[in-house]
Amino acid sequence: ELSRPVRAAVVAAVVGIFVAADPADPFTGLAAGATAVTVVFVLLGWALDAQGFAPALRSVATVTRRLAHAVFH
């Protein structure tokens, strides 16, 4: 069961490396790579039905909402 999120992380890291290497500007590469890693990891974690993945996403959503509330209010 632990191999599912590990596989998702490995694939996401490889995709992130390829995406980050393409742009000429380092900051653009960093942003593109980080976005690619996040999207690929979330999609693969969901597709592989990794145990504990759904609660982790709910935690991230809660923290994001609280942060947005603190920043914008």
Side-chain angles (χ1 to χ4, degrees), residues 12-37:
V14 170
V15 169
I17 289 170
F18 283 114
V19 170
D22 191 39
D25 180 38
F27 295 113
T28 305
L30 176 65
T35 302
V37 167

Side-chain angles (χ1 to χ4, degrees), residues 37-66:
V37 167
T38 302
V39 169
V40 170
F41 182 73
V42 167
L43 290 176
L44 284 177
W46 176 71
L48 294 173
D49 195 30
Q51 181 180 4
F53 194 74
L57 285 180
R58 283 193 296 274
S59 296
V60 169
T62 301
V63 169
T64 304
R65 272 194 308 269
R66 289 180 182 173

